[in-house]
Amino acid sequence: MLEIKNVSKSFGDVRALDNLSFNVSEGTVFGLVGSNGAGKSTLLRVINGVFKAEQGEILIDGENTFENVKVKNKCFFIPDFPFFYNSSTIENTAYLYRRIYENWDEEYFKLLCSMFPINPKQKVINMSKGMQRQAALILALSTRPKYLFLDEIFDGLDPVVRQLVKKLLITCVTDNNMTVMIASHNLRELEDICDHIGLLHRGGILMERELDDLKLGIHKVQVAFGEEADESIFDGLEIVKLSRQGKLYNLTIRGDADEFMPKIEALNPAFLESLPLTLEEVFIHEMEGAGYDISNIL
Amino acid sequence: MTSATYSKSSFKQGLAVFWWSVRSNLPIIIIYLSLLAFTSMLNIVGTMGVSTMLGGVMDEEVSIIKNLPISSEISNAALFGILFSIIASIRCFGYLHGKREIDMFGSLPVSRRTLFFSRLAAAAAIGAAPMLVVLLALNIFAPHTGDNSLLNTLNAFLGITANVTFIGLLSVCCGKTSDKIISYLMINFAFPVAIIMIQVMPASFLSGYDLQFHKLFILALTPLAAHFSNMPIYWTVFSAACIALCFLLLKRRKSESAQSHFAFKLPHVLIKLLASFATGVVAAYIFLLIGVDYKYKPDLGTEYLKFWLGMIIGSFLVYLCVQIILAHGFKGFGKSLITYGAMIVCFGVYFTVLATGALGYSSYVPSADSVKSVSFTDDFNQGLLVRRSVDDRKVIEGAVDAHKQIIETTEKEKSMIVLSGKTISKKIDNLSRYMYIDYDDVNNFTVTYYLKNGMKIRRSYIIDKPRKIRFLYTKEYQENYYPLFTFDEKYLREAWTDSCYGDDYADFNRKESLELVKAIREDYRKYGPVKNDDYDYYSAQFTFYENDNKFENDLVFYQYVDVPAEYKATRKLIKAAN
């Protein structure tokens, strides 16, 4: 289990992580979302011991991660821009990893090399952005990590490879109980693969819960009345957002649909429909709720 | 499945990183080896060609190969070694300075120290291994011919180690590769200049100041010159100190300083101060020379003004430039001026102490009673063989009186220009080791007192009218300090004589040379120093071993003595030899 306890990290005057706390259970795929500068990449770096937290602790399987070789052996971190030397190939980078990572799986490495459309003897630096990510992923999965941390992994991948990556990750999670944390702005991809979502904002966690709960906890409702009605008729409902076009109201309501739908039905609407929210819509509503001035952006 | 325990030792991890780092630098190693092999081949072919031209002995190929100057080959190899170890170090420690690199290396299951020291070992190996391979091959091919090749090779290796560890330390302190390179170059060049200027400055203020350059201080932070300094113990300690500092600082270094700023401020402050101080003092001396010509009339006030103007302008401009280069702008400049101000204040204190006579440095002469023994050297007896101290009371009293006389003749010399000029000319004169039996030109004096309280006082002068110093013409002085009377005969190697026309040459073996010395002493006691103003004179030239290691090729001390017609006993011996 990954435990993040009261972690803070600053860069000069900027507080990137502010007393952050949450847990990630084993065998889950955790999506880390948030606005730009929310602290997602910093959090991944702190978890992987690249940066040292100024305050708090990060425990993996009960042990502190910073400068802990034993714990780091179970983890692999692919940053948003994976690093390769000018002369690096997948093969010669594997030379280092197979000697350092105890669980390096040579068979799996060969298998992965054959699965991705990539030449392991080609210089990585000459590859496209997406192919460099594939190279990093081949090396990462070959170390058979128990915890895999990915920053913007889908960026630059073509749809076919994206599906392949998702499939591979899910196989590793189900077969090996691997825990994956993915920081991304690509909410559509996260929606497909994640079972947990954590929303970071200004270095703090805005909310962290199962994706299903998240989606079930907030709803988009369209309701129309025969006659014009005052907005006050919705008092008693936890309205996140309300917009009106004539007699049609668009509501975003937080809560259990089984509880609020009967209340709306009791108002005798001419039309009533509850629609599922995409993760992107959930994200926008939550951020708006946290004071993120979306109107200035959208 | 992931194993619950981790069994790879730090050594194994380090070894993996080491080999991987060496492999990553393979192109550099190939270039380095090629250059080394190519220049070595040139050296061998060149030496064979020269040997053939000089000796015309193609049938003696083995001896030709033996003539290969192995020490120059080591220097050639060391130069490449240092250059490529610098390149390898910059590459190997680059992971501390790139945001992307730090992501990769920081998340590896290897401790920071293991990672750093493995990379350090890789950089040192890349620098040293090809050099040692080529030198080993040359030692087999062209065996040792009398040069101290083992020590030279050790110096070359330590030079590489010193550079790698120093760059390692700078890498830990700096946030960017560019800052690291600038810091390395600036410290290597500014530090010796700063130390030389600190050592030179008293010579511009204090009459009698004995300017000595201490290699250890000058090169203390100049690993670039480590190989050539022949200080193996110092560079071993230096490298060990750098490693110890890296070990301590690594844990405290924040990874986020990569690509942004200095992780530790010390090099930043040190570079700014060293560069501005060194340039400031050099500029001060340049300003001092403005308006100086052959009609120059010393005016101390004007000299001080020019000196300070140069110091302030030079040091401030460089301080500003270094700030802009290292901080990429003026951020923090105002606050850092406090450091600059502190440096100027310290310099001001040093200047004031020197300008006010350094607590009586120039006028102080110990009382004869407090002196245990004295050594008095002049143009004639400055050689190593005659640096003796004499405890005879008459000699001590004579030396003290002579010293007072010298101070009287020099006390009006309060000009920085005059004093600096004399020191420079004194240093140049000291390079000459010729000895002439002619006192008209003598003007270099160094007196060293060994006091009864254990202290040692040493003063050095150049005076214009040495004839006034009567002590030099006393029997006590000449018999105690004159080289012909004082040198240890066991160091005498050989002598030869010749006429002033160069047509009456004769060699003397060791025994005959001793006879020759005896004859010169006899003549000298009888006739004293005779000025050679006729054309009928001979010269006797002697060579001595400088120490007990009487190697054939060791540097020797050389003396030249004029033998005028009056020196009859000597002339008789010379004629007999011819």
Side-chain angles (χ1 to χ4, degrees):
Chain A
M1 177 148 114
L2 167 66
E3 297 165 79
I4 296 160
K5 295 180 176 177
N6 308 110
V7 169
S8 294
K9 177 74 191 168
S10 300
F11 300 105
D13 300 332
V14 180
R15 203 158 174 81
L17 299 177
D18 190 8
N19 210 25
L20 188 69
S21 295
F22 65 92
N23 296 336
V24 179
S25 308
E26 273 181 41
T28 56
V29 181
F30 191 95
L32 203 55
V33 295
S35 52
N36 291 327
K40 302 182 295 297
S41 297
T42 303
L43 176 62
L44 291 183
R45 286 184 173 97
V46 173
I47 292 171
N48 285 281
V50 178
F51 294 160
K52 188 180 183 183
E54 281 143 19
Q55 191 190 302
E57 57 181 359
I58 290 175
L59 304 175
I60 286 184
D61 296 339
E63 287 188 75
N64 223 311
T65 57
F66 189 75
E67 278 289 86
N68 189 334
V69 173
K70 192 179 136 194
V71 171
K72 281 168 135 187
N73 181 51
K74 297 187 237 177
C75 307
F76 201 101
F77 169 46
I78 302 181
D80 44 357
F81 296 101
F83 174 76
F84 291 97
Y85 280 112
N86 288 347
S87 57
S88 290
T89 61
I90 296 179
E91 283 281 8
N92 67 25
T93 310
Y95 175 91
L96 175 69
Y97 290 165
R98 73 168 63 92
R99 279 160 185 78
I100 285 182
Y101 284 94
E102 192 143 68
N103 304 305
W104 176 267
D105 189 334
E106 193 63 33
E107 292 300 314
Y108 194 48
F109 171 66
K110 284 175 185 161
L111 179 70
L112 289 171
C113 285
S114 64
M115 285 169 82
F116 283 92
I118 199 166
N119 179 2
K121 287 181 181 161
Q122 191 190 337
K123 283 186 182 176
V124 181
I125 207 79
N126 294 333
M127 295 177 184
S128 69
K129 184 178 166 187
M131 285 174 89
Q132 288 191 22
R133 281 195 165 73
Q134 291 175 46
L137 203 68
I138 290 170
L139 291 161
L141 293 176
S142 301
T143 67
R144 289 289 191 193
K146 191 176 172 193
Y147 294 88
L148 181 63
F149 300 92
L150 308 167
D151 196 356
E152 295 294 357
I153 191 67
F154 300 111
D155 205 10
L157 299 184
D158 66 58
V160 177
V161 175
R162 234 180 291 164
Q163 290 309 314
L164 176 63
V165 169
K166 280 189 232 170
K167 193 181 150 198
L168 278 169
L169 291 178
I170 288 163
T171 310
C172 287
V173 170
T174 47
D175 293 355
N176 301 331
N177 202 32
M178 183 171 81
T179 308
V180 184
M181 185 182 264
I182 310 174
S184 179
H185 288 116
N186 195 333
L187 303 179
R188 175 68 199 88
E189 302 297 344
L190 289 184
E191 206 168 0
D192 280 356
I193 190 170
C194 293
D195 40 28
H196 273 74
I197 289 286
L199 178 56
L200 282 187
H201 184 57
R202 289 178 186 161
I205 188 101
L206 213 57
M207 53 108 189
E208 178 270 314
R209 67 183 74 140
E210 271 192 39
L211 187 62
D212 290 343
D213 289 350
L214 183 70
K215 288 171 98 174
L216 291 173
I218 193 158
H219 303 264
K220 192 161 71 179
V221 176
Q222 283 190 328
V223 56
F225 296 98
E227 292 174 6
E228 284 202 8
D230 192 75
E231 288 176 10
S232 60
I233 59 168
F234 300 116
D235 286 351
L237 299 175
E238 200 179 338
I239 307 286
V240 176
K241 192 180 175 187
L242 186 149
S243 63
R244 181 177 172 182
Q245 287 170 318
K247 293 174 184 174
L248 180 71
Y249 291 85
N250 285 304
L251 307 170
T252 307
I253 305 172
R254 198 188 296 279
D256 190 345
D258 293 341
E259 285 179 16
F260 64 73
M261 284 301 274
K263 288 181 186 172
I264 302 172
E265 276 168 12
L267 299 171
N268 292 319
F271 171 76
L272 176 63
E273 188 180 29
S274 174
L275 301 166
L277 252 68
T278 62
L279 188 57
E280 194 160 300
E281 285 168 322
V282 175
F283 173 78
I284 289 169
H285 288 308
E286 291 292 343
M287 294 302 290
E288 219 170 9
Y292 198 77
D293 196 359
I294 289 165
S295 58
N296 282 341
I297 301 166
L298 299 177
Chain B
M1 278 299 295
T2 308
S3 72
T5 56
Y6 187 66
S7 64
K8 288 194 191 290
S9 66
S10 295
F11 180 74
K12 272 187 182 173
Q13 294 174 326
L15 212 57
V17 174
F18 172 84
W19 283 117
W20 185 71
S21 307
V22 170
R23 280 166 58 114
S24 305
N25 284 286
L26 214 54
I28 285 178
I29 297 171
I30 291 167
I31 294 169
Y32 174 20
L33 255 175
S34 310
L35 279 172
L36 208 52
F38 179 68
T39 50
S40 300
M41 283 300 293
L42 279 184
N43 204 1
I44 292 169
V45 171
T47 308
M48 286 176 78
V50 170
S51 298
T52 309
M53 278 196 298
L54 293 177
V57 281
M58 278 306 285
D59 54 328
E60 291 181 25
E61 280 176 41
V62 175
S63 69
I64 291 166
I65 295 300
K66 274 186 181 172
N67 284 335
L68 179 73
I70 194 80
S71 63
S72 78
E73 189 43 49
I74 292 170
S75 297
N76 166 52
L79 270 176
F80 279 113
I82 288 171
L83 176 69
F84 279 89
S85 62
I86 292 169
I87 295 169
S89 307
I90 289 168
R91 281 174 59 89
C92 283
F93 299 124
Y95 80 96
L96 292 165
H97 306 129
K99 279 188 194 296
R100 291 172 64 180
E101 283 167 272
I102 206 82
D103 278 343
M104 174 191 164
F105 286 97
S107 59
L108 287 178
V110 182
S111 77
R112 288 170 180 223
R113 282 173 177 164
T114 306
L115 184 63
F116 179 84
F117 288 112
S118 308
R119 305 280 282 179
L120 187 140
I126 292 165
M131 180 192 79
L132 293 176
V133 165
V134 169
L135 286 181
L136 184 72
L138 279 169
N139 268 297
I140 294 165
F141 188 50
H144 171 58
T145 54
D147 296 305
N148 207 343
S149 63
L150 190 67
L151 182 66
N152 278 336
T153 308
L154 177 71
N155 276 331
F157 177 74
L158 288 173
I160 288 170
T161 316
N163 276 289
V164 170
T165 52
F166 189 56
I167 293 174
L169 179 61
L170 290 176
S171 303
V172 173
C173 294
C174 295
K176 291 180 200 154
T177 300
S178 58
D179 286 348
K180 175 172 69 180
I181 296 168
I182 291 167
S183 303
Y184 175 77
L185 292 174
M186 279 200 175
I187 293 175
N188 266 288
F189 289 104
F191 183 79
V193 174
I195 296 296
I196 287 170
M197 296 323 284
I198 288 172
Q199 291 186 354
V200 160
M201 263 184 73
S204 307
F205 295 88
L206 307 171
S207 171
Y209 176 70
D210 181 42
L211 177 59
Q212 300 284 335
F213 290 114
H214 301 285
K215 189 170 70 173
L216 182 66
F217 295 136
I218 293 171
L219 299 179
L221 288 182
T222 315
L224 202 53
H227 163 62
F228 310 98
S229 64
N230 195 21
M231 300 190 295
I233 295 171
Y234 173 75
W235 293 114
T236 308
V237 173
F238 176 87
S239 303
C242 286
I243 289 172
L245 276 171
C246 290
F247 187 82
L248 292 173
L249 294 176
L250 265 173
K251 278 245 163 177
R252 292 179 53 204
R253 187 182 194 274
K254 288 184 174 177
S255 304
E256 55 267 35
S257 49
Q259 232 165 301
S260 54
H261 48 75
F262 279 81
F264 300 101
K265 293 258 179 196
L266 185 66
H268 185 110
V269 175
L270 195 69
I271 293 157
K272 281 204 287 191
L273 290 183
L274 277 178
S276 63
F277 175 80
T279 322
V281 183
V282 170
Y285 275 97
I286 292 168
F287 271 60
L288 192 62
L289 290 172
I290 293 172
V292 175
D293 56 17
Y294 67 98
K295 292 177 196 166
Y296 181 69
K297 286 180 185 167
D299 171 20
L300 208 54
T302 312
E303 286 184 354
Y304 285 178
L305 187 69
K306 286 195 284 184
F307 189 82
W308 268 101
L309 205 62
M311 176 69 194
I312 298 290
I313 293 174
S315 62
F316 185 79
L317 282 178
V318 170
Y319 193 83
L320 186 71
C321 290
V322 177
Q323 162 75 24
I324 292 169
I325 292 167
L326 295 180
H328 302 280
F330 293 97
K331 195 184 172 192
F333 181 64
K335 209 175 165 186
S336 80
L337 281 177
I338 298 168
T339 322
Y340 175 75
M343 190 260 299
I344 291 293
V345 168
C346 290
F347 180 76
V349 171
Y350 186 53
F351 179 91
T352 309
V353 168
L354 294 176
T356 52
L359 309 170
Y361 179 96
S362 298
S363 56
Y364 177 69
V365 179
S367 69
D369 292 340
S370 65
V371 179
K372 191 177 158 194
S373 64
V374 65
S375 119
F376 204 103
T377 62
D378 58 35
D379 282 343
F380 297 117
N381 62 6
Q382 60 187 271
L384 294 170
L385 293 168
V386 287
R387 270 190 194 157
R388 57 191 296 228
S389 108
V390 179
D391 57 5
D392 183 280
R393 295 317 301 172
K394 271 193 167 178
V395 174
I396 292 171
E397 283 164 12
V400 167
D401 284 343
H403 188 184
K404 284 176 182 167
Q405 264 188 296
I406 292 170
I407 289 176
E408 276 173 30
T409 64
T410 57
E411 69 181 353
K412 288 173 190 166
E413 295 168 351
K414 295 291 183 195
S415 159
M416 288 179 76
I417 296 273
V418 172
L419 284 170
S420 307
K422 285 201 163 190
T423 306
I424 292 165
S425 103
K426 200 157 56 188
K427 277 282 148 197
I428 292 168
D429 280 356
N430 275 348
L431 298 174
S432 156
R433 283 188 165 188
Y434 288 93
M435 185 194 78
Y436 298 91
I437 303 178
D438 181 351
Y439 266 84
D440 273 358
D441 295 330
V442 63
N443 59 6
N444 249 318
F445 297 96
T446 299
V447 57
T448 311
Y449 300 103
Y450 298 90
L451 302 186
K452 286 173 182 169
N453 63 10
M455 278 179 69
K456 181 181 158 187
I457 294 170
R458 189 179 158 97
R459 299 288 186 269
S460 192
Y461 300 93
I462 288 184
I463 57 171
D464 300 327
K465 292 173 181 168
R467 285 273 174 199
K468 284 185 178 175
I469 315 298
R470 311 224 184 285
F471 176 58
L472 301 177
Y473 303 97
T474 61
K475 190 171 170 289
E476 287 79 24
Y477 177 79
Q478 292 186 351
E479 290 201 349
N480 278 298
Y481 295 115
Y482 195 76
L484 269 179
F485 295 100
T486 55
F487 72 76
D488 191 332
E489 288 177 359
K490 72 176 181 183
Y491 292 117
L492 182 63
R493 198 172 80 159
E494 59 180 0
W496 64 93
T497 59
D498 204 352
S499 72
C500 59
Y501 304 110
D503 57 357
D504 220 352
Y505 181 85
D507 273 327
F508 290 72
N509 62 25
R510 214 185 101 77
K511 197 181 163 195
E512 291 164 345
S513 301
L514 285 169
E515 288 294 317
L516 190 65
V517 171
K518 208 172 148 190
I520 293 174
R521 282 178 182 174
E522 195 183 303
D523 283 335
Y524 185 79
R525 284 200 181 100
K526 222 181 268 182
Y527 304 105
V530 177
K531 191 168 163 53
N532 265 314
D533 46 11
D534 55 43
Y535 293 103
D536 177 27
Y537 69 92
Y538 278 77
S539 64
Q541 291 161 68
F542 300 90
T543 56
F544 301 87
Y545 297 110
E546 278 206 339
N547 52 43
D548 290 327
N549 304 322
K550 295 174 182 175
F551 288 125
E552 190 67 25
N553 295 324
D554 264 8
L555 187 69
V556 289
F557 180 62
Y558 171 76
Q559 287 194 329
Y560 175 100
V561 183
D562 278 347
V563 183
E566 286 87 342
Y567 285 17
K568 287 180 179 123
T570 315
R571 284 288 182 104
K572 199 177 158 187
L573 264 182
I574 293 172
K575 286 206 170 135
N578 288 330

